[in-house]
Amino acid sequence: MAVLEVNNVKKSFGDLEVLKGITFSMEKGEVLAVIGSSGGGKTTLLRCLTFLERCDSGRIAIDGEEIVGEGEFIVKGKKKKGEEPEPDKTVVRSVYPKDEDLRIKGLKMGLVFQDFNLFPHYSVLRNLTLAPMLVQKKSKEDATALAEEMLVKVGLGEKRDAYPYQLSGGQKQRVAIARALCMNPSILCFDEPTSALDPELTLEVLKVIADLKKQGVTMLIVTHEIEFAREVADTVIFLDKGVVLEYGDAKELIDRPKTERAREFLNKIVSSGVGDDKAE
Ligand SMILES: Nc1ncnc2c1ncn2[C@@H]1O[C@H](COP(=O)(O)OP(=O)(O)OP(=O)(O)O)[C@@H](O)[C@H]1O
Ligand SMILES: [Mg+2]
């Protein structure tokens, strides 16, 4: 059974159509990388999938449960003075559950923010136990045990009592990953997890993500690290101007892109050294 099913998701900001009908699905344990030029809609897609943003139309199902459905609505035609009224028209729109239900269901999608978003005045441990205790009503003991386990997973067992300001960027990012894992999401999503980091710290974070894959964590990663996507991802989506231009096996797509547009993008990235750790 697919862990995530996304059907024909569309999203506009005013007149700007940013997502023009996105369709894909993910299996348990799959790592999917989303690549593409700046402004192509990658972050918007991730925000729609983690429910920080609402899509206009399209369906989203997680673990076989439809979270966002679709319905038909009749829009009354407008009438201007002295003119024939426009005819009524039927439009299809996404249908979302009530806010509180969406908040709970939305927890199945974990998100690691680019700039970590740790609470600066809380210790690492408190950063990790806060949501499980508040939202999932876990006891302090259970939340602490879970947090310690997740910190070990990202190689930071000894930092439980540190404060964010005492950590390097890479360590902060790994704490943010551990924090997301504490909520036991069905899919862990990343938006360019290493773009704020220097090359050495980038490697550290990419290694943690590769380890999580070995442990079977299902992940959706927006990234400019093409070599990483090629090595770690199973599948890749090349998103261009709001359209899934290419979608398939990671190595196949990156080594042999079918469209001119993807070829151009990949060539540019490789020749500029962006996303290539060895270039630094
Ligand atoms: N809240 C918003 N209001 C209006 N326009 C927006 C909003 N968010 C994004 N956009 C526009 O949508 C388009 C896609 O933006 P998005 O951030 O999804 O691109 P991206 O692929 O993540 O780019 P990058 O690689 O630079 O991060 C851009 O033209 C952007 O200006
Ligand atoms: Mg972005």
PDB file of all heavy atoms in Angstrom, residues 185-216:
ATOM      1  N   PRO A 185       6.494  10.222  12.426  1.00  0.00           N
ATOM      2  CA  PRO A 185       5.724  10.514  11.216  1.00  0.00           C
ATOM      3  C   PRO A 185       5.776   9.353  10.216  1.00  0.00           C
ATOM      4  O   PRO A 185       6.718   8.563  10.247  1.00  0.00           O
ATOM      5  CB  PRO A 185       6.453  11.734  10.640  1.00  0.00           C
ATOM      6  CG  PRO A 185       7.860  11.590  11.117  1.00  0.00           C
ATOM      7  CD  PRO A 185       7.784  10.926  12.468  1.00  0.00           C
ATOM      8  N   SER A 186       4.754   9.271   9.371  1.00  0.00           N
ATOM      9  CA  SER A 186       4.781   8.248   8.304  1.00  0.00           C
ATOM     10  C   SER A 186       5.817   8.637   7.261  1.00  0.00           C
ATOM     11  O   SER A 186       6.446   7.777   6.655  1.00  0.00           O
ATOM     12  CB  SER A 186       3.414   8.142   7.634  1.00  0.00           C
ATOM     13  OG  SER A 186       2.467   7.716   8.556  1.00  0.00           O
ATOM     14  N   ILE A 187       5.946   9.928   7.031  1.00  0.00           N
ATOM     15  CA  ILE A 187       6.942  10.416   6.071  1.00  0.00           C
ATOM     16  C   ILE A 187       7.666  11.617   6.668  1.00  0.00           C
ATOM     17  O   ILE A 187       7.039  12.509   7.232  1.00  0.00           O
ATOM     18  CB  ILE A 187       6.276  10.862   4.760  1.00  0.00           C
ATOM     19  CG1 ILE A 187       5.515   9.685   4.143  1.00  0.00           C
ATOM     20  CG2 ILE A 187       7.310  11.407   3.765  1.00  0.00           C
ATOM     21  CD1 ILE A 187       4.831  10.007   2.867  1.00  0.00           C
ATOM     22  N   LEU A 188       8.975  11.590   6.550  1.00  0.00           N
ATOM     23  CA  LEU A 188       9.769  12.713   7.031  1.00  0.00           C
ATOM     24  C   LEU A 188      10.151  13.568   5.819  1.00  0.00           C
ATOM     25  O   LEU A 188      10.708  13.051   4.850  1.00  0.00           O
ATOM     26  CB  LEU A 188      11.014  12.165   7.728  1.00  0.00           C
ATOM     27  CG  LEU A 188      11.880  13.159   8.482  1.00  0.00           C
ATOM     28  CD1 LEU A 188      11.062  13.900   9.527  1.00  0.00           C
ATOM     29  CD2 LEU A 188      13.032  12.431   9.168  1.00  0.00           C
ATOM     30  N   CYS A 189       9.792  14.859   5.876  1.00  0.00           N
ATOM     31  CA  CYS A 189      10.030  15.744   4.724  1.00  0.00           C
ATOM     32  C   CYS A 189      11.134  16.744   5.060  1.00  0.00           C
ATOM     33  O   CYS A 189      11.222  17.238   6.187  1.00  0.00           O
ATOM     34  CB  CYS A 189       8.764  16.524   4.388  1.00  0.00           C
ATOM     35  SG  CYS A 189       7.359  15.475   4.023  1.00  0.00           S
ATOM     36  N   PHE A 190      11.932  17.032   4.061  1.00  0.00           N
ATOM     37  CA  PHE A 190      13.016  18.002   4.233  1.00  0.00           C
ATOM     38  C   PHE A 190      12.949  19.014   3.099  1.00  0.00           C
ATOM     39  O   PHE A 190      12.772  18.630   1.947  1.00  0.00           O
ATOM     40  CB  PHE A 190      14.380  17.318   4.102  1.00  0.00           C
ATOM     41  CG  PHE A 190      14.672  16.259   5.122  1.00  0.00           C
ATOM     42  CD1 PHE A 190      14.237  14.966   4.940  1.00  0.00           C
ATOM     43  CD2 PHE A 190      15.416  16.559   6.254  1.00  0.00           C
ATOM     44  CE1 PHE A 190      14.541  13.974   5.872  1.00  0.00           C
ATOM     45  CE2 PHE A 190      15.723  15.576   7.181  1.00  0.00           C
ATOM     46  CZ  PHE A 190      15.283  14.294   6.998  1.00  0.00           C
ATOM     47  N   ASP A 191      13.149  20.293   3.436  1.00  0.00           N
ATOM     48  CA  ASP A 191      13.273  21.308   2.387  1.00  0.00           C
ATOM     49  C   ASP A 191      14.707  21.810   2.384  1.00  0.00           C
ATOM     50  O   ASP A 191      15.108  22.577   3.246  1.00  0.00           O
ATOM     51  CB  ASP A 191      12.303  22.472   2.637  1.00  0.00           C
ATOM     52  CG  ASP A 191      12.210  23.386   1.425  1.00  0.00           C
ATOM     53  OD1 ASP A 191      12.918  23.137   0.420  1.00  0.00           O
ATOM     54  OD2 ASP A 191      11.428  24.351   1.479  1.00  0.00           O
ATOM     55  N   GLU A 192      15.474  21.340   1.439  1.00  0.00           N
ATOM     56  CA  GLU A 192      16.888  21.703   1.329  1.00  0.00           C
ATOM     57  C   GLU A 192      17.575  21.687   2.686  1.00  0.00           C
ATOM     58  O   GLU A 192      17.982  22.724   3.203  1.00  0.00           O
ATOM     59  CB  GLU A 192      17.013  23.078   0.675  1.00  0.00           C
ATOM     60  CG  GLU A 192      16.488  23.049  -0.744  1.00  0.00           C
ATOM     61  CD  GLU A 192      16.671  24.366  -1.464  1.00  0.00           C
ATOM     62  OE1 GLU A 192      17.617  25.072  -1.120  1.00  0.00           O
ATOM     63  OE2 GLU A 192      15.873  24.656  -2.344  1.00  0.00           O
ATOM     64  N   PRO A 193      17.702  20.488   3.254  1.00  0.00           N
ATOM     65  CA  PRO A 193      18.183  20.382   4.637  1.00  0.00           C
ATOM     66  C   PRO A 193      19.610  20.878   4.839  1.00  0.00           C
ATOM     67  O   PRO A 193      20.017  21.129   5.958  1.00  0.00           O
ATOM     68  CB  PRO A 193      18.095  18.882   4.933  1.00  0.00           C
ATOM     69  CG  PRO A 193      18.106  18.216   3.612  1.00  0.00           C
ATOM     70  CD  PRO A 193      17.422  19.167   2.669  1.00  0.00           C
ATOM     71  N   THR A 194      20.358  21.036   3.768  1.00  0.00           N
ATOM     72  CA  THR A 194      21.773  21.399   3.960  1.00  0.00           C
ATOM     73  C   THR A 194      22.128  22.754   3.353  1.00  0.00           C
ATOM     74  O   THR A 194      23.295  23.143   3.378  1.00  0.00           O
ATOM     75  CB  THR A 194      22.688  20.342   3.320  1.00  0.00           C
ATOM     76  OG1 THR A 194      22.376  20.255   1.934  1.00  0.00           O
ATOM     77  CG2 THR A 194      22.486  18.987   3.966  1.00  0.00           C
ATOM     78  N   SER A 195      21.127  23.486   2.847  1.00  0.00           N
ATOM     79  CA  SER A 195      21.493  24.701   2.112  1.00  0.00           C
ATOM     80  C   SER A 195      22.079  25.787   3.013  1.00  0.00           C
ATOM     81  O   SER A 195      22.777  26.675   2.543  1.00  0.00           O
ATOM     82  CB  SER A 195      20.299  25.241   1.335  1.00  0.00           C
ATOM     83  OG  SER A 195      19.294  25.588   2.236  1.00  0.00           O
ATOM     84  N   ALA A 196      21.807  25.697   4.341  1.00  0.00           N
ATOM     85  CA  ALA A 196      22.357  26.716   5.241  1.00  0.00           C
ATOM     86  C   ALA A 196      23.702  26.274   5.834  1.00  0.00           C
ATOM     87  O   ALA A 196      24.240  26.942   6.709  1.00  0.00           O
ATOM     88  CB  ALA A 196      21.353  27.001   6.360  1.00  0.00           C
ATOM     89  N   LEU A 197      24.220  25.143   5.361  1.00  0.00           N
ATOM     90  CA  LEU A 197      25.415  24.573   6.008  1.00  0.00           C
ATOM     91  C   LEU A 197      26.636  24.601   5.097  1.00  0.00           C
ATOM     92  O   LEU A 197      26.515  24.534   3.875  1.00  0.00           O
ATOM     93  CB  LEU A 197      25.128  23.113   6.382  1.00  0.00           C
ATOM     94  CG  LEU A 197      23.901  22.871   7.264  1.00  0.00           C
ATOM     95  CD1 LEU A 197      23.691  21.380   7.461  1.00  0.00           C
ATOM     96  CD2 LEU A 197      24.054  23.560   8.611  1.00  0.00           C
ATOM     97  N   ASP A 198      27.816  24.665   5.716  1.00  0.00           N
ATOM     98  CA  ASP A 198      29.025  24.577   4.897  1.00  0.00           C
ATOM     99  C   ASP A 198      29.269  23.109   4.513  1.00  0.00           C
ATOM    100  O   ASP A 198      28.621  22.211   5.036  1.00  0.00           O
ATOM    101  CB  ASP A 198      30.208  25.269   5.589  1.00  0.00           C
ATOM    102  CG  ASP A 198      30.677  24.511   6.811  1.00  0.00           C
ATOM    103  OD1 ASP A 198      30.531  23.275   6.833  1.00  0.00           O
ATOM    104  OD2 ASP A 198      31.188  25.142   7.743  1.00  0.00           O
ATOM    105  N   PRO A 199      30.183  22.859   3.575  1.00  0.00           N
ATOM    106  CA  PRO A 199      30.313  21.520   3.002  1.00  0.00           C
ATOM    107  C   PRO A 199      30.549  20.398   4.012  1.00  0.00           C
ATOM    108  O   PRO A 199      29.981  19.316   3.895  1.00  0.00           O
ATOM    109  CB  PRO A 199      31.521  21.647   2.064  1.00  0.00           C
ATOM    110  CG  PRO A 199      31.609  23.083   1.752  1.00  0.00           C
ATOM    111  CD  PRO A 199      31.064  23.830   2.922  1.00  0.00           C
ATOM    112  N   GLU A 200      31.355  20.690   5.048  1.00  0.00           N
ATOM    113  CA  GLU A 200      31.650  19.646   6.014  1.00  0.00           C
ATOM    114  C   GLU A 200      30.405  19.257   6.805  1.00  0.00           C
ATOM    115  O   GLU A 200      30.102  18.087   6.997  1.00  0.00           O
ATOM    116  CB  GLU A 200      32.729  20.153   6.969  1.00  0.00           C
ATOM    117  CG  GLU A 200      33.511  19.051   7.616  1.00  0.00           C
ATOM    118  CD  GLU A 200      34.653  19.639   8.432  1.00  0.00           C
ATOM    119  OE1 GLU A 200      35.212  20.671   8.003  1.00  0.00           O
ATOM    120  OE2 GLU A 200      34.942  19.097   9.483  1.00  0.00           O
ATOM    121  N   LEU A 201      29.666  20.287   7.245  1.00  0.00           N
ATOM    122  CA  LEU A 201      28.449  20.032   8.008  1.00  0.00           C
ATOM    123  C   LEU A 201      27.388  19.406   7.108  1.00  0.00           C
ATOM    124  O   LEU A 201      26.570  18.604   7.556  1.00  0.00           O
ATOM    125  CB  LEU A 201      27.942  21.326   8.638  1.00  0.00           C
ATOM    126  CG  LEU A 201      28.916  21.992   9.600  1.00  0.00           C
ATOM    127  CD1 LEU A 201      28.296  23.239  10.214  1.00  0.00           C
ATOM    128  CD2 LEU A 201      29.341  21.025  10.701  1.00  0.00           C
ATOM    129  N   THR A 202      27.416  19.776   5.847  1.00  0.00           N
ATOM    130  CA  THR A 202      26.488  19.184   4.887  1.00  0.00           C
ATOM    131  C   THR A 202      26.663  17.674   4.857  1.00  0.00           C
ATOM    132  O   THR A 202      25.701  16.914   4.960  1.00  0.00           O
ATOM    133  CB  THR A 202      26.742  19.778   3.478  1.00  0.00           C
ATOM    134  OG1 THR A 202      26.383  21.153   3.520  1.00  0.00           O
ATOM    135  CG2 THR A 202      25.913  19.081   2.415  1.00  0.00           C
ATOM    136  N   LEU A 203      27.914  17.242   4.781  1.00  0.00           N
ATOM    137  CA  LEU A 203      28.199  15.804   4.734  1.00  0.00           C
ATOM    138  C   LEU A 203      27.650  15.084   5.960  1.00  0.00           C
ATOM    139  O   LEU A 203      27.090  14.001   5.871  1.00  0.00           O
ATOM    140  CB  LEU A 203      29.710  15.571   4.658  1.00  0.00           C
ATOM    141  CG  LEU A 203      30.322  15.694   3.271  1.00  0.00           C
ATOM    142  CD1 LEU A 203      31.808  15.354   3.339  1.00  0.00           C
ATOM    143  CD2 LEU A 203      29.613  14.764   2.292  1.00  0.00           C
ATOM    144  N   GLU A 204      27.828  15.744   7.122  1.00  0.00           N
ATOM    145  CA  GLU A 204      27.383  15.180   8.397  1.00  0.00           C
ATOM    146  C   GLU A 204      25.858  14.932   8.377  1.00  0.00           C
ATOM    147  O   GLU A 204      25.378  13.885   8.786  1.00  0.00           O
ATOM    148  CB  GLU A 204      27.743  16.246   9.437  1.00  0.00           C
ATOM    149  CG  GLU A 204      27.501  16.003  10.864  1.00  0.00           C
ATOM    150  CD  GLU A 204      27.969  17.259  11.645  1.00  0.00           C
ATOM    151  OE1 GLU A 204      29.193  17.513  11.729  1.00  0.00           O
ATOM    152  OE2 GLU A 204      27.102  17.973  12.156  1.00  0.00           O
ATOM    153  N   VAL A 205      25.134  15.913   7.859  1.00  0.00           N
ATOM    154  CA  VAL A 205      23.673  15.795   7.822  1.00  0.00           C
ATOM    155  C   VAL A 205      23.238  14.769   6.763  1.00  0.00           C
ATOM    156  O   VAL A 205      22.347  13.954   7.001  1.00  0.00           O
ATOM    157  CB  VAL A 205      23.025  17.182   7.559  1.00  0.00           C
ATOM    158  CG1 VAL A 205      21.546  17.044   7.287  1.00  0.00           C
ATOM    159  CG2 VAL A 205      23.260  18.092   8.766  1.00  0.00           C
ATOM    160  N   LEU A 206      23.906  14.797   5.621  1.00  0.00           N
ATOM    161  CA  LEU A 206      23.546  13.843   4.568  1.00  0.00           C
ATOM    162  C   LEU A 206      23.792  12.403   5.030  1.00  0.00           C
ATOM    163  O   LEU A 206      23.040  11.496   4.694  1.00  0.00           O
ATOM    164  CB  LEU A 206      24.332  14.139   3.282  1.00  0.00           C
ATOM    165  CG  LEU A 206      24.002  15.491   2.631  1.00  0.00           C
ATOM    166  CD1 LEU A 206      24.770  15.653   1.317  1.00  0.00           C
ATOM    167  CD2 LEU A 206      22.505  15.655   2.390  1.00  0.00           C
ATOM    168  N   LYS A 207      24.836  12.240   5.843  1.00  0.00           N
ATOM    169  CA  LYS A 207      25.130  10.897   6.358  1.00  0.00           C
ATOM    170  C   LYS A 207      23.992  10.425   7.276  1.00  0.00           C
ATOM    171  O   LYS A 207      23.580   9.256   7.222  1.00  0.00           O
ATOM    172  CB  LYS A 207      26.469  10.922   7.109  1.00  0.00           C
ATOM    173  CG  LYS A 207      26.939   9.565   7.515  1.00  0.00           C
ATOM    174  CD  LYS A 207      28.312   9.608   8.183  1.00  0.00           C
ATOM    175  CE  LYS A 207      28.620   8.287   8.856  1.00  0.00           C
ATOM    176  NZ  LYS A 207      27.647   7.885   9.869  1.00  0.00           N
ATOM    177  N   VAL A 208      23.487  11.348   8.100  1.00  0.00           N
ATOM    178  CA  VAL A 208      22.374  10.984   8.987  1.00  0.00           C
ATOM    179  C   VAL A 208      21.151  10.577   8.158  1.00  0.00           C
ATOM    180  O   VAL A 208      20.479   9.576   8.444  1.00  0.00           O
ATOM    181  CB  VAL A 208      22.018  12.162   9.936  1.00  0.00           C
ATOM    182  CG1 VAL A 208      20.685  11.932  10.620  1.00  0.00           C
ATOM    183  CG2 VAL A 208      23.112  12.337  10.977  1.00  0.00           C
ATOM    184  N   ILE A 209      20.896  11.324   7.095  1.00  0.00           N
ATOM    185  CA  ILE A 209      19.737  10.999   6.253  1.00  0.00           C
ATOM    186  C   ILE A 209      19.931   9.627   5.583  1.00  0.00           C
ATOM    187  O   ILE A 209      19.009   8.816   5.518  1.00  0.00           O
ATOM    188  CB  ILE A 209      19.498  12.111   5.201  1.00  0.00           C
ATOM    189  CG1 ILE A 209      19.128  13.418   5.923  1.00  0.00           C
ATOM    190  CG2 ILE A 209      18.404  11.716   4.222  1.00  0.00           C
ATOM    191  CD1 ILE A 209      18.971  14.623   5.019  1.00  0.00           C
ATOM    192  N   ALA A 210      21.166   9.368   5.134  1.00  0.00           N
ATOM    193  CA  ALA A 210      21.442   8.065   4.523  1.00  0.00           C
ATOM    194  C   ALA A 210      21.260   6.937   5.544  1.00  0.00           C
ATOM    195  O   ALA A 210      20.743   5.867   5.217  1.00  0.00           O
ATOM    196  CB  ALA A 210      22.861   8.051   3.945  1.00  0.00           C
ATOM    197  N   ASP A 211      21.662   7.187   6.803  1.00  0.00           N
ATOM    198  CA  ASP A 211      21.470   6.191   7.875  1.00  0.00           C
ATOM    199  C   ASP A 211      19.982   5.934   8.123  1.00  0.00           C
ATOM    200  O   ASP A 211      19.566   4.796   8.333  1.00  0.00           O
ATOM    201  CB  ASP A 211      22.091   6.683   9.195  1.00  0.00           C
ATOM    202  CG  ASP A 211      23.591   6.460   9.217  1.00  0.00           C
ATOM    203  OD1 ASP A 211      24.088   5.760   8.319  1.00  0.00           O
ATOM    204  OD2 ASP A 211      24.251   7.001  10.126  1.00  0.00           O
ATOM    205  N   LEU A 212      19.201   7.022   8.123  1.00  0.00           N
ATOM    206  CA  LEU A 212      17.758   6.871   8.357  1.00  0.00           C
ATOM    207  C   LEU A 212      17.129   6.012   7.273  1.00  0.00           C
ATOM    208  O   LEU A 212      16.241   5.217   7.525  1.00  0.00           O
ATOM    209  CB  LEU A 212      17.069   8.238   8.403  1.00  0.00           C
ATOM    210  CG  LEU A 212      17.450   9.141   9.577  1.00  0.00           C
ATOM    211  CD1 LEU A 212      16.719  10.477   9.459  1.00  0.00           C
ATOM    212  CD2 LEU A 212      17.096   8.486  10.911  1.00  0.00           C
ATOM    213  N   LYS A 213      17.628   6.175   6.067  1.00  0.00           N
ATOM    214  CA  LYS A 213      17.112   5.340   4.975  1.00  0.00           C
ATOM    215  C   LYS A 213      17.370   3.863   5.264  1.00  0.00           C
ATOM    216  O   LYS A 213      16.499   3.024   5.079  1.00  0.00           O
ATOM    217  CB  LYS A 213      17.747   5.744   3.656  1.00  0.00           C
ATOM    218  CG  LYS A 213      17.240   4.859   2.527  1.00  0.00           C
ATOM    219  CD  LYS A 213      17.981   5.051   1.250  1.00  0.00           C
ATOM    220  CE  LYS A 213      17.638   3.884   0.334  1.00  0.00           C
ATOM    221  NZ  LYS A 213      17.408   4.277  -1.028  1.00  0.00           N
ATOM    222  N   LYS A 214      18.577   3.580   5.748  1.00  0.00           N
ATOM    223  CA  LYS A 214      18.901   2.176   6.067  1.00  0.00           C
ATOM    224  C   LYS A 214      17.963   1.628   7.135  1.00  0.00           C
ATOM    225  O   LYS A 214      17.682   0.439   7.181  1.00  0.00           O
ATOM    226  CB  LYS A 214      20.348   2.073   6.565  1.00  0.00           C
ATOM    227  CG  LYS A 214      21.342   2.196   5.435  1.00  0.00           C
ATOM    228  CD  LYS A 214      22.736   1.789   5.899  1.00  0.00           C
ATOM    229  CE  LYS A 214      23.788   2.336   4.950  1.00  0.00           C
ATOM    230  NZ  LYS A 214      24.813   3.159   5.590  1.00  0.00           N
ATOM    231  N   GLN A 215      17.490   2.533   8.018  1.00  0.00           N
ATOM    232  CA  GLN A 215      16.565   2.093   9.070  1.00  0.00           C
ATOM    233  C   GLN A 215      15.117   2.062   8.584  1.00  0.00           C
ATOM    234  O   GLN A 215      14.196   1.855   9.369  1.00  0.00           O
ATOM    235  CB  GLN A 215      16.696   3.017  10.277  1.00  0.00           C
ATOM    236  CG  GLN A 215      18.074   2.932  10.919  1.00  0.00           C
ATOM    237  CD  GLN A 215      18.308   4.050  11.921  1.00  0.00           C
ATOM    238  OE1 GLN A 215      17.398   4.441  12.638  1.00  0.00           O
ATOM    239  NE2 GLN A 215      19.513   4.576  11.965  1.00  0.00           N
ATOM    240  N   GLY A 216      14.918   2.344   7.309  1.00  0.00           N
ATOM    241  CA  GLY A 216      13.580   2.201   6.731  1.00  0.00           C
ATOM    242  C   GLY A 216      12.687   3.422   6.836  1.00  0.00           C
ATOM    243  O   GLY A 216      11.476   3.327   6.637  1.00  0.00           O
TER     244      GLY A 216
END
